[in-house]
Amino acid sequence: MNNQDRQDSVQKIRKRIEIHVGIAIAALVVAMGVGAAGFVYWGAYNVSALQQHTEPVFTILNLALDRSIRQRAEEVEPPPLTPEMAEQGRLIYQNKCVQCHGAPGVGRDDVGKGMTPVPPNLAHTAKTKNADEIFWPIKHGIKMTGMPSWQFTFTDEQIWNLTAFIMRLPELSPAEYQELVANDSVEESTDRNDVSASAPARDTALPDPERGKMAMYGYACIACHRIPGTVGPHSDVGPPLKGIGERRYIAGVLANNPENMVRWLRHPTEVDPLTAMPDLDVTEQDARDMAAYLETLR
Ligand code: HEC
Ligand code: HEC
């Protein structure tokens, strides 16, 4: 065998190995594809809320959650948290959070019991997290857990009040908590529309279509409408909003202009008492931002 022949046969062997490896990889990819398709299509994955993840998956998901929140919370600058703020926060907490998270000496309501992940005990959270890492998930919510975003319900100021209360939880005994609750006078309002006087002056801000698009999720508009630019259940309870920016009328009754759109979004049942579109406690500014987004749909 001369040198040339030897090189040729080495080449040939290499080619053959490459082909075999190629076939093996292709077979593996096909097998994984079929497996994944079967997993999805034949419903192999059990979505029951009482089937917890395996320990390693749980650990990885929790780590991903913690890291994601920590990363984003860095941009948040906490104000000094005072006892007065915590007291204001408690009033909101009792109304909107106790059902899922419980409170000192108070168990979770039915909604908060059968959930996976289980809504955490926030006294424990307060011991392990900084204020900004508590503020962030309240404002933005946590995807795929059942923790809602509250930024279209409360002002930042109110969310800081909630944060101040949660930071106090570790030192609050059930008896002290009960005493605070017992001393509450008439039902205190936690509606953001009622406190907008003390809220930052967003009502004078220019309409922001991007924020309006986020509000479509925040107010759950996507549960009833198909809205271009959003992803959702594609339900047709309400009319699809494609091209709404070009239409002459809103819901067939109001001329389509920005003021009327704001009016419709805030109080549809005042405009048309028989409409199936509910009043959703939309603030003036949120309605303006949403109207600005709808205006872009042509
Ligand atoms: C429908 C049930 C539900 C309601 C109502 C709810 N939460 Fe949650 N919350 C959850 C769930 C579920 C999680 C995420 C669990 C996890 O860690 O995976 C969560 C997470 C959190 C976290 C992050 C906890 C951590 O350990 O990092 C904070 C803070 C929080 N909620 C505060 C609140 C506040 C304040 C309210 C009231 C304004 C509220 N939640 C209302 C279900 C709820
Ligand atoms: C519970 C379901 C439901 C929710 C939630 C809902 N809508 Fe509607 N919406 C409707 C229905 C039903 C109509 C048709 C009303 C009519 O014609 O009387 C409608 C009508 C409209 C119209 C007029 C459409 C047209 O063709 O003229 C707009 C715009 C609109 N909704 C926007 C929104 C926005 C923005 C939100 C969130 C803030 C929202 N909707 C939330 C059910 C809903």
Side-chain angles (χ1 to χ4, degrees), residues 215-216 219-225 227 237-241 244 247 249-252 261 264-265 272 274-278 280 282 290 294:
M216 304 286 163
Y219 284 99
C221 315
I222 56 152
C224 293
H225 293 283
I227 307 172
V237 177
L241 300 183
I244 185 81
R247 268 184 245 161
Y249 293 101
I250 303 167
M261 184 57 89
W264 171 258
L265 295 179
D272 177 0
L274 293 180
T275 186
M277 164 131 161
L280 295 163
V282 177
M290 287 193 268
L294 294 174

